[in-house]
Amino acid sequence: MFGKMYFMRAALALTCAATFAGALAETPMKSVMVTAIVDHPALDAVRNGTRDALRDAGYEVGKNLKWEFQSAQGNASIVSQITRQFVGANPDVIVAIATPSAQSLVAATKTIPIVYSGVADPIAAQLVKDWKPSGTNVTGLSHMLDLNKQIGIMKAVVPNVKRVGIVYNPGEVNSTVVVKQLRTLLERQGIALIDVAAPRTVDVAPAAKSLIGKVDLIYSTTDNNVVSTYESLVKVCNDAKIPLVASDTDSVKRGAIAAYGVNFYNLGRATGKVVARILNGEKPGAIASTTSKDLELFINRTAAQKQGVVLSPQFLKQANKVID
């Protein structure tokens, strides 16, 4: 009798083991490789939001998800190295954060699913043709902003602004597009745009200093060179009492007076949801590229004081977050 019970238990154990093994076979480990052009708070927030959204969708790093991240450290040659490595590894999805990384990967593979994020204008960057489903291996999320609303924030900070300065990397297509569009919109309102090139991070502070005495306000885009060394730009503005307005809320925490922009962590979470859809079987080419609607107004009163600005109570009341 005991022998019979032993064999029954053994058979049951083998059946359970086979069932468990079958379940594992049905849910294999997925691979997501992530790269960003450089490390800075906004792009880091995109990465973290993507990972957290994947976890919430049931893809947990180390359990059923292999996750690899590499930063190009702002170096074009490293972008190329990462591109070759990622394409050679053939993961289930590649997440490309910021325009230079996305452009390199989109040019390198037409088969591996690519989800871009932290890209201001994916059409100008030639990642997709339009906002419709691409029919290719590419989809993603943009943080494109309404520049008229950005000008409204500038005027709220400096009501009589007549000259706006901007420091940007002429090698970053999203930055050049913003400069061109912003110039046109400002000129229509009788405001001049004075732009200064900063092709390297070390050029940002000297470029900003060259604007002293020439502008009423400096506006910063999500240019990766500028944002990665934002404190150097803030120092110039603080020392020269030039009001600094940003296009991303993380830069307000770092010393800009105000920004009406995207919550980059939430942008990352939206990116992660798209990646999960692809891991679950959807084709990237069937998913339309989108822009973020999750905009917030951040104001830094301490920065305003350092840069010689008195903010109106009405403007302060509009803020989603006020930093003292």
Side-chain angles (χ1 to χ4, degrees), residues 27-30 50-66 269 272-273 275-277 279-280:
T27 56
M29 180 80 75
K30 296 291 187 179
T50 301
R51 185 186 57 227
D52 291 350
L54 282 170
R55 180 199 60 213
D56 294 346
Y59 292 100
E60 191 166 349
V61 178
K63 291 187 177 180
N64 60 350
L65 178 66
K66 181 181 177 182
R269 289 193 63 87
K273 290 177 182 178
V275 175
R277 289 169 63 183
L279 293 178
N280 290 339

Side-chain angles (χ1 to χ4, degrees), residues 105-138:
L105 282 158
V106 168
T109 177
K110 305 302 179 187
T111 56
I112 301 172
I114 295 174
V115 179
Y116 66 80
S117 192
V119 172
D121 192 335
I123 298 170
Q126 299 184 337
L127 304 180
V128 291
K129 292 181 179 179
D130 51 40
W131 297 104
K132 299 176 183 178
S134 67
T136 68
N137 62 318
V138 182

